Every structure is written in C-alpha cells, then in structure tokens.
Amino acid sequence: MEVKNKNNSIVQMLEQEKSNKKYYIMIAVAVVAALIWSMSVIEVKPLSKEGIVIAKNIFRGIFHPSMDFLFNFTRQGVPFLLLETIAIAVLGTLFGSILALPLAFLSATNIVPRPIAVVMRFINMAIRTVPPFVYGLMFIRVTGPGASAGVLTLAVVSIGMIAKMFTETIEDLDQGIIESMEASGASLFQKIRFGVIPQLKADFLSLLLYRFDMNLRDATILGLVGAGGIGAPLIFAMNSYRWNQVGAILIGLFLLIFVVEAISSRIRRYLLHGK
C-alpha cells in the first residue's frame, strides 16, 4: 500500500512538472528577450591602452595597500574614518526607525481606516522615490559638508524602506487578537501597545538590523558627495591616483562589513529562532 502511494505521488509530481513546462519556457523566452533588448540599447566600448595601464595601476595599488594609512589612529586614519562611518549609520538608522514607526502603523489597513492608510502609503512612496544622493546633496546645502548631512540623509532614506517593511509585517500579524481588542472597546493606542508590538518585536528588531547593514554601505557611498564618513577620503585618493591608500580603505571596509554582517546575522537568528 505504501509503495502504491509513493508511486502515485511520483506520478503526480511528474504530471505537475509537465504542466509547468510551458510556464518555464515563457519565463525563459521573456528573460532572453529582455537580455537581447538590453544589449541592443547599451553601447559596449573596448578597452583602450590607457585604460589597461590605469587598470593595472589600480590593482597594483589595491594589492599593495598603504599600511601607514591603514594603521593610522589619528583623525585622518582609516580606523577613525570607519568609526565615523559606523556612527553615521547607527544614528541614521535610529532616527529613521523612530520616524518610520508611526508612519508604518498609519499605513496598515488592519490598524487604521483604508483612506488614511492610502494617504500615508502615498507619502511613504514619495519619500522612497528620491535617491539617497539627492537627499545627500540637499542636506549638504543645509548643514554643510560633514557627518551631520550623512546622518540626516540616512534617516530620511531609512524612513521609506523601514516604514514599508514594518507595514507589511503589521498586516501579516494575527487578526484574532486585534479583533478581540476591538470588540472589548480598546483604543488605537491600546491595540498597538498590547496587541501589535508584543507580536512584532522580534521582526522589528530584525528589520532594523537589516536596515543598519544597508545604511553602513550607504554611509560609505554618501561620503563621496561630502556627507561624512570614509567615502570622502576614498574619492580624494582615487582622484589623486593614490591607489595604495584606496587599497587600505577597501581593506578596512571589507573587515568592517564582514564583522558587522557576522554579528547582525547572529543577532537576527537569535531574535527569530531563539538560538
């Protein structure tokens, strides 16, 4: 009897695979068509002799980094610049999450009436539309070049992404608890305080860690426009062809990202699975 059941399940799987074959072929054709169209639009230029020489100099400098710059513990050295980048990412994530939390609750259709949620989602979409570089250039005009512009930029950029993910998480929670609280006459604040937050605490913290990882990389990129962090020395070193300093900065960034990724992954695993 068990053998027959296994054979029947195998036959069903094979039939299901046959029925999905057309679907897979359509996806493959769509991907190939998109690839051909993209290659027809982009003009691929061959490398010049000067480009090859510059590429050799870049790789030679990167693989022979400046150790004096890498282990310089003054304000101009790689360790301090990495520390400043971490501080920008931490403050940007905290400020962004504080501002995103009420926006997320006001965007959840199971918490507030749908018209209010639609308006809040439109505001959130408008925030996400503007690229981080544009925010960075705007805040540099307000506060001047430096870490303050980077913190404000990451805070605003974080609002859109955190609010969107928080909203999706809120809408996936157990509706029975909220409905029972509504039946008992609980207010909006009480529903959030006692019905929503206890269910979503671990997911919220995990999302914040994920956004911190992204902000750490964005803080490096925003430094290219003068918004503090290690990005500004990186672009200065590249513009002046000091590739050994570029190599030292890249080594520091690699070690920083590796350590932060390992720690955040362990914390997320503990929050979601308890181990």
Side-chain angles (χ1 to χ4, degrees):
M1 191 68 178
E2 292 181 0
V3 175
K4 289 183 178 181
N5 292 333
K6 289 182 179 179
N7 291 334
N8 290 334
S9 62
I10 293 173
V11 171
Q12 291 176 357
M13 290 174 61
L14 293 175
E15 292 178 352
Q16 183 70 22
E17 188 67 25
K18 290 180 181 179
S19 63
N20 291 334
K21 186 176 293 185
K22 293 181 179 180
Y23 175 72
Y24 295 144
I25 292 174
M26 291 175 60
I27 292 177
V29 171
V31 171
V32 171
L35 180 63
I36 294 173
W37 174 78
S38 301
M39 293 180 66
S40 66
V41 174
I42 297 175
E43 181 181 358
V44 179
K45 295 183 178 180
L47 291 175
S48 62
K49 291 183 179 180
E50 294 180 357
I52 295 174
V53 172
I54 293 174
K56 289 181 179 179
N57 292 332
I58 291 173
F59 284 106
R60 187 181 299 114
I62 288 176
F63 288 105
H64 295 85
S66 172
M67 293 300 169
D68 293 336
F69 187 50
L70 183 61
F71 294 102
N72 184 355
F73 293 97
T74 65
R75 296 180 69 90
Q76 287 75 35
V78 172
F80 178 82
L81 295 172
L82 291 175
L83 183 63
E84 184 181 42
T85 303
I86 295 173
I88 292 172
V90 169
L91 292 176
T93 305
L94 289 177
F95 292 154
S97 60
I98 292 171
L99 296 173
L101 200 57
L103 181 60
F105 283 112
L106 293 174
S107 301
T109 54
N110 58 342
I111 300 295
V112 299
R114 182 170 292 274
I116 298 176
V118 170
V119 173
M120 293 297 106
R121 290 190 180 197
F122 179 80
I123 295 173
N124 187 19
M125 183 182 65
I127 294 173
R128 296 200 312 272
T129 302
V130 181
F133 262 94
V134 177
Y135 281 125
L137 293 172
M138 290 168 54
F139 285 119
I140 284 174
R141 298 294 182 272
V142 176
T143 64
S148 299
V151 171
L152 293 175
T153 301
L154 291 181
V156 175
V157 171
S158 299
I159 291 173
M161 182 263 193
I162 293 176
K164 182 179 183 297
M165 298 185 71
F166 277 5
T167 301
E168 294 175 354
T169 307
I170 292 169
E171 291 183 337
D172 290 338
L173 53 78
D174 187 2
Q175 296 293 325
I177 297 176
I178 297 178
E179 291 174 356
S180 62
M181 294 187 70
E182 287 179 350
S184 62
S187 63
L188 175 62
F189 176 77
Q190 290 173 333
K191 286 192 294 183
I192 294 173
R193 170 65 180 84
F194 299 103
V196 176
I197 292 179
Q199 296 186 67
L200 303 178
K201 188 185 299 182
D203 291 334
F204 278 3
L205 293 176
S206 178
L207 289 174
L208 289 181
L209 287 173
Y210 176 68
R211 183 63 224 187
F212 172 72
D213 286 346
M214 295 180 64
N215 281 344
L216 195 60
R217 294 165 176 82
D218 288 344
T220 303
I221 298 173
L222 288 173
L224 301 178
V225 297
I230 202 169
L234 177 61
I235 194 64
F236 291 153
M238 293 175 67
N239 289 336
S240 57
Y241 303 105
R242 297 195 301 267
W243 301 114
N244 55 345
Q245 291 189 4
V246 173
I249 292 174
L250 292 179
I251 290 175
L253 285 174
F254 173 78
L255 294 175
L256 175 63
I257 298 299
F258 177 79
V259 172
V260 171
E261 182 69 24
I263 295 174
S264 62
S265 297
R266 181 176 292 273
I267 295 175
R268 280 198 299 268
R269 187 165 59 248
Y270 176 79
L271 290 173
L272 294 176
H273 305 290
K275 59 180 180 179

